Amino acid sequence: ERRAYHLTADYTWGWTQEESIKAATENIGWETVNTVRTPVGAGDFSQYITPVLNSGADVLILNHYGKDMVNSLTQAVQFGLRDKQVNGKNFEIVVPLYSRLMAQGAGDAAKGILGTTNWHWSLQDAGSQAFVKSFGQEYGFPPSQAAHTCYVQTLLYANACEMAGTFAPWEVIKQLEGFEFDGAGNGPTLY
């Protein structure tokens, strides 16, 4: 049983990720100690990290992305959270959605941090390998998870426009709602 403290980017992506992670962790018996919204581009997260230290939480979940994740993770490690013991357990820092670029930006602060990514260029499915080959021929290095996301989203949008027979957003949205696809390396996906 864990006690989680969320720092969440204050926009739709952050809110949605927090909601999803809370539901999953509470479903397995975790307690959510607090959820705190942080402004996008805050830079200095010390005022948000300081309360975590005495909250009784033993997990900090950083619902941040990009430079905000790099900054909040680096500062959480500087505050000693990665090496802390709480409730008889090692304190854990979780980054639910990582990218290689964010890990590089965080440098040594990323060591030992738990996180996930939704795709990696080493996947062996046909769709991933075709994209990796094409991208590598064009740019000379394997694609990042962000490049893959942009590629897949472009394909999905183009397909939805074709199915709708128009570029009108309200018609395209109808085509994407409930749309299932596979073959992009992430397994079956429902929109």
Side-chain angles (χ1 to χ4, degrees):
E1 194 170 291
R2 289 290 199 158
R3 301 187 77 225
Y5 195 111
H6 291 255
L7 294 182
T8 300
D10 195 7
Y11 68 106
T12 306
W13 176 84
W15 308 330
T16 305
Q17 179 165 283
E18 176 189 287
E19 180 182 331
S20 174
I21 299 296
K22 273 182 58 180
T25 56
E26 289 175 359
N27 190 47
I28 60 170
W30 287 28
E31 177 187 346
T32 299
V33 173
N34 203 359
T35 59
V36 177
R37 304 285 166 88
T38 60
V40 175
D44 180 3
F45 288 89
S46 60
Q47 67 179 320
Y48 305 105
I49 295 169
T50 303
V52 177
L53 296 168
N54 296 313
S55 68
D58 50 33
V59 177
L60 172 61
I61 300 174
L62 296 174
N63 297 303
H64 293 143
Y65 199 76
K67 191 157 179 85
D68 283 349
M69 191 290 295
V70 170
N71 289 336
S72 63
L73 173 59
T74 301
Q75 292 167 33
V77 170
Q78 288 170 346
F79 272 76
L81 290 176
R82 182 175 56 191
D83 302 320
K84 191 174 169 75
Q85 287 269 321
V86 177
N87 306 324
K89 300 176 179 115
N90 290 335
F91 193 96
E92 300 291 351
I93 302 172
V94 176
V95 177
L97 184 58
Y98 245 138
S99 78
R100 180 176 61 215
L101 297 174
M102 289 187 288
Q104 288 171 339
D108 286 342
K111 290 180 180 175
I113 302 303
L114 303 172
T116 67
T117 185
N118 66 341
W119 182 84
H120 191 267
W121 63 268
S122 64
L123 290 171
Q124 295 301 307
D125 64 281
S128 291
Q129 288 304 295
F131 175 59
V132 169
K133 180 179 178 184
S134 176
F135 188 97
Q137 288 171 341
E138 180 68 25
Y139 300 103
F141 54 88
S144 67
Q145 169 239 305
H148 176 264
T149 298
C150 291
Y151 175 72
V152 170
Q153 293 300 320
T154 301
L155 290 176
L156 286 171
Y157 185 76
N159 183 62
C161 290
E162 191 173 303
M163 289 189 313
T166 181
F167 291 105
W170 53 90
E171 296 298 328
V172 173
I173 289 168
K174 289 178 188 175
Q175 297 303 315
L176 287 172
E177 289 177 334
F179 182 71
E180 283 190 52
F181 73 98
D182 197 354
N186 301 359
T189 303
L190 172 66
Y191 266 77

